[in-house]
Amino acid sequence: MTEAHGIVIVGGGICGLATALALHRKGIASLVLEKSEVLRAEGAGIGVQANGWRALEQLGVAGELRKTAGLITSYHDVWLQGDKSTRDRYPVRTELRCLNRKDLIEALAKDLPAGAIRFGCRIAAVHEDPGGHGAAVLTMADGATIKAKVLIGCDGGTNSVVARYLGLPPVRTIPRLVLRGFTSYPHGHPFKNEFLRLRVGDFFIGRLTITDNLVHFFVTMPPPSPDAGLAGADLRDVRDLVLKELEEHQCPAEITEVVRGSDPESLNLVTKFWYRPPWEVALGGFQKGAVTVAGDAMHAMGPFIGQGGSAGLEDAVVLARTLARAAGGAGEGEDGEAAVGGAIGAYIRERRLRLVLLSLESYIMGVLLVRSPSPAVKLACMAVLVLLGSKSLRHANFDCGRL
Ligand SMILES: Cc1cc2nc3c(=O)[nH]c(=O)nc-3n(C[C@H](O)[C@H](O)[C@H](O)COP(=O)(O)OP(=O)(O)OC[C@H]3O[C@@H](n4cnc5c(N)ncnc54)[C@H](O)[C@@H]3O)c2cc1C
């Protein structure tokens, strides 16, 4: 027996849950299929700038989330090169907070109706519904099938089955090691409410305050040799390795002590970044009938400008808005199907330029930070960043509009 549903969302990460919540707020039911057995919130903290907060406001969860994460009021940039060092502090001009990913995921999930998320449900393949009408048939890992009138792939950047169904090329990867985690300070941390960004050689390190008692950090470094045996290693051992490297590079105690004191349970390791290059975001076919993608499945962009998650929240608001218009304007049957197809087309048109600009900015930052470009390429990159308004964080001022 094939189950039949209206809107099916593959993936219960930030974007999938936000899309389900946005649809729910518009009175539209959906079913989220998530392969893990519980809500996943890996990666410790996530920086959310003003554009993300605007989307969270539309989703009705900004107020409660603001209570969990204090305002970050300044950037503190430190660059250490041998004996030389530069320090620069400047104010954050738009809203920036670092959320505990768990708080974000739980806030997005908690208002969904019972049964709206089905856990332990891995989609192995997507096929066109032989009955036509642009819908899709999903085959689960256990062989069962589900028919979806509308299918939204929010199944992440690394191996999205929905992106594959749409014919999108696999995302590209950059080998890079990132260790992330939380450090607790039961008696209050000694830091300002700032985002410390430290560059030491090939290391890029961040420290963001969340509350008076909780700090998020990340350490990004070139990947160690394959025989370093990181795959499946105890994350405490990875932390020791990272600390050893930081000390060898004379990284200041204001960072090493945070990493050393981190909660082992909160540690998370990423060994590569994944991204869809900006030209694929510009030209990608993100729709086949009533099937589309959102979040990293559509526009994975690496962490270089900290916008991947917020861009997924914006997708959710825009997609729910356009689908709600279609649901309000057309009835059942072929008219309804044409309206849904039109709504998805409108969503993609509305999002495309925004996502191309974000992907381009992130891609260029990646070239500058990871690839050691020639002076000419560096100059060209800097010129594009000026045009994109990167220094003034123009990307953070975006407003995806009302739900
Ligand atoms: C080191 C690092 C730091 C970052 N920092 C920031 C930041 O500060 N700010 C920011 O905005 N963004 C940041 N990002 C990006 C952000 O984490 C991602 O853009 C965001 O998590 C993507 O959400 P998503 O829901 O689209 O995908 P995911 O979070 O990947 O969720 C996809 C979900 O789909 C499920 N799934 C996958 N395949 C299937 C299947 N076949 N069947 C069923 N379920 C499936 C997965 O289990 C998962 O739950 C960072 C990324 C990295 C790597």
Side-chain angles (χ1 to χ4, degrees):
M1 284 285 285
T2 298
E3 265 182 69
H5 290 272
I7 300 181
V8 173
I9 297 167
V10 183
I14 293 172
C15 185
L17 294 174
T19 304
L21 181 60
L23 288 166
H24 175 63
R25 299 274 192 241
K26 298 297 278 182
I28 301 173
S30 66
L31 174 67
V32 178
L33 304 177
E34 167 56 49
K35 69 177 176 187
S36 69
E37 298 293 337
V38 287
L39 284 176
R40 288 181 62 200
E42 290 155 11
I46 180 165
V48 178
Q49 305 189 52
N51 57 308
W53 285 103
R54 289 190 187 110
L56 289 171
E57 258 157 29
Q58 294 306 313
L59 295 170
V61 293
E64 65 196 84
L65 284 171
R66 282 191 177 107
K67 290 185 196 144
T68 68
L71 205 54
I72 293 178
T73 51
S74 56
Y75 290 105
H76 182 182
D77 290 343
V78 183
W79 195 337
L80 304 179
Q81 262 179 320
D83 293 343
K84 287 197 220 135
S85 74
T86 55
R87 277 183 187 259
D88 194 9
R89 238 194 202 109
Y90 52 98
V92 179
R93 296 194 195 285
T94 56
E95 182 172 4
L96 169 64
R97 294 170 200 263
C98 181
L99 284 171
N100 184 334
R101 282 184 187 247
K102 186 167 169 286
D103 292 337
L104 174 59
I105 288 283
E106 286 177 0
L108 294 171
K110 79 173 188 344
D111 285 349
L112 292 176
I117 310 173
R118 199 176 287 178
F119 292 104
C121 196
R122 189 173 77 78
I123 302 307
V126 177
H127 297 285
E128 199 168 333
D129 183 355
H133 313 301
V137 179
L138 292 82
T139 307
M140 287 180 278
D142 63 5
T145 51
I146 291 187
K147 246 187 201 184
K149 277 191 187 158
V150 179
L151 175 62
I152 305 168
C154 299
D155 44 347
T158 43
N159 203 11
S160 163
V161 278
V162 184
R164 209 178 316 137
Y165 170 75
L166 293 175
L168 297 170
V171 291
R172 319 284 171 92
T173 55
I174 308 172
R176 198 85 182 147
L177 186 145
V178 187
L179 183 71
R180 299 179 277 183
F182 291 132
T183 309
S184 296
Y185 295 82
H187 304 295
H189 61 69
F191 312 116
K192 293 194 163 71
N193 291 332
E194 62 180 19
F195 182 2
L196 170 70
R197 300 183 290 196
L198 177 77
R199 276 201 79 174
V200 192
D202 271 347
F203 286 65
F204 185 64
I205 300 150
R207 187 194 69 205
L208 298 96
T209 47
I210 297 183
T211 63
D212 291 345
N213 307 99
L214 190 66
V215 169
H216 168 65
F217 71 88
F218 61 84
V219 179
T220 313
M221 56 190 261
S225 63
D227 47 336
L230 285 185
D234 185 328
L235 291 183
R236 283 170 234 245
D237 297 338
V238 178
R239 180 177 61 185
D240 289 346
L241 181 138
V242 167
L243 273 167
K244 196 164 147 253
E245 293 274 349
L246 290 178
E247 278 160 0
E248 274 170 19
H249 285 77
Q250 285 159 7
C251 191
E254 58 190 327
I255 278 295
T256 49
E257 287 313 308
V258 175
V259 179
R260 202 185 314 281
S262 55
D263 171 6
E265 298 300 313
S266 74
L267 294 175
N268 170 265
L269 178 69
V270 173
T271 53
K272 54 181 178 272
F273 296 155
W274 48 96
Y275 68 99
R276 201 174 281 295
W279 53 92
E280 282 178 14
V281 178
L283 302 172
F286 294 131
Q287 175 178 17
K288 210 185 244 185
V291 181
T292 192
V293 272
D296 273 20
M298 189 187 204
H299 49 69
M301 60 180 76
F304 303 109
I305 58 170
Q307 276 287 359
S310 290
L313 295 171
E314 292 174 9
D315 294 342
V317 171
V318 176
L319 182 52
R321 180 169 66 220
T322 53
L323 283 173
R325 271 189 213 134
E332 288 289 301
E334 285 186 12
D335 280 356
E337 284 150 19
V340 166
I344 291 176
Y347 150 72
I348 293 165
R349 279 193 299 283
E350 186 171 339
R351 292 300 290 150
R352 179 97 63 184
L353 179 61
R354 163 74 174 154
L355 295 170
V356 169
L357 295 179
L358 283 176
S359 303
L360 179 63
E361 189 172 343
S362 183
Y363 178 80
I364 288 177
M365 291 297 280
V367 169
L368 289 172
L369 289 171
V370 179
R371 293 192 207 270
S372 315
S374 68
V377 173
K378 201 168 168 180
L379 198 66
C381 288
M382 301 301 278
V384 179
L385 289 183
V386 169
L387 289 175
L388 291 171
S390 200
K391 192 158 188 343
S392 62
L393 296 184
R394 193 185 292 156
H395 59 240
N397 281 321
F398 184 82
D399 186 350
C400 63
R402 295 183 71 84
L403 181 59

